[in-house]
Amino acid sequence: MFLCVGLGNPGLSYAHTRHNVGWMALDLVLERMTSLKGPGMKLSGALWDGFLNGERLLCLKPMTYMNLSGKAVWEVVRYFQIEHSRILVLYDDRSLPLGTLRIRPKGSAGGHNGIASVISSLGSPEIPRLRIGVGPLPEGIPLRNFVTSPFSREERKELPDTLERSARGVSLWITEGVQAAMNAIN
C-alpha cells in the first residue's frame, strides 16, 4: 500500500493558488486511478482509496490547513501502518522555477511549513517528496501573499504540463521506485 499526500489549504479562496498545487497534482492522480472509493473524511483529511498501476494507493488531502498538514498525515500513516518509504508528499516550492519538478527520497523542510509539519509529525525527514516549482518569489512581495495568490494567466498556460508530469512522477514512483522517478522527472 502506498500513500500520496497533496498539500494545500481547504476553502474556495485557496483553490487555484500556488500553495494548492499539491492538491491540483493529486487531482490528476485521482483521475487515473481505478476502483476509486472516496472521498471519505478520514480523521483530519479527505481520503481516497483505489489502485494506480495495479498497486493500492491511498490519496490524502489534509483539511488542517498547510501548517498543520502533519496531523492528518500522521493519523493516516498510524491507522494504516504505512512505511515512510511508501509515502509521497506533493507540494509547492517557491525556490524552484515555475514548472520545475524535483523528486527526492528525503530531505529538510527547506522553509516550507507544510512539509515541516509532516516531518515533525512523522518524526523523520526520510519521507519521499515531489516539489513542484511555483517560483521565484518576486522581490518586495511577502511570501504568504505570493503562495496564497492565484497563478497569472501566463502561468496557467504552463500548469497543465506541470501537473501532467507530476502525475507521471507519482506513477513512476509507485511502479519503479523513487530513483527511477527522480531520473525521469528531475
Side-chain angles (χ1 to χ4, degrees):
M1 177 186 309
F2 293 87
L3 171 63
C4 188
V5 180
L7 297 187
N9 286 312
L12 289 176
S13 62
Y14 296 106
H16 302 286
T17 65
R18 288 169 176 78
H19 234 8
N20 273 36
V21 77
W23 278 20
M24 293 177 210
L26 190 65
D27 286 340
L28 197 54
V29 171
L30 288 166
E31 288 179 15
R32 294 163 183 211
M33 292 176 65
T34 60
S35 303
L36 188 63
K37 298 175 193 148
M41 290 306 289
K42 193 64 138 179
L43 310 167
S44 299
L47 187 68
W48 290 261
D49 188 351
F51 290 85
L52 183 65
N53 301 331
E55 296 285 346
R56 186 172 179 201
L57 176 64
L58 300 175
C59 291
L60 174 67
K61 287 184 180 180
M63 294 293 164
T64 54
Y65 288 95
M66 183 68 74
N67 294 354
L68 301 174
S69 297
K71 178 181 188 306
V73 176
W74 180 81
E75 289 172 348
V76 172
V77 167
R78 189 184 82 185
Y79 183 84
F80 289 98
Q81 296 297 302
I82 300 170
E83 297 174 28
H84 291 182
S85 64
R86 290 180 162 254
I87 303 166
L88 183 67
V89 182
L90 316 177
Y91 63 98
D92 62 289
D93 190 324
R94 62 154 167 100
S95 65
L96 294 175
L98 182 66
T100 301
L101 302 177
R102 291 288 182 266
I103 295 179
R104 296 284 184 256
K106 61 183 178 180
S108 72
H112 192 285
N113 291 334
I115 193 70
S117 175
V118 173
I119 289 169
S120 176
S121 293
L122 296 181
S124 174
E126 296 195 22
I127 301 144
R129 73 274 318 264
L130 190 156
R131 298 166 31 221
I132 304 168
V134 297
L137 174 65
E139 192 172 318
I141 304 287
L143 176 60
R144 184 184 187 328
N145 293 1
F146 177 66
V147 296
T148 59
S149 67
F151 290 98
S152 71
R153 182 178 307 163
E154 284 301 309
E155 291 170 328
R156 283 194 304 264
K157 291 177 183 175
E158 286 187 50
L159 206 50
D161 177 64
T162 300
L163 298 176
E164 172 64 35
R165 289 183 296 114
S166 298
R168 191 169 45 116
V170 172
S171 184
L172 284 168
W173 168 72
I174 286 175
T175 57
E176 298 181 35
V178 70
Q179 190 63 48
M182 287 170 57
N183 291 342
I185 300 301
N186 291 358

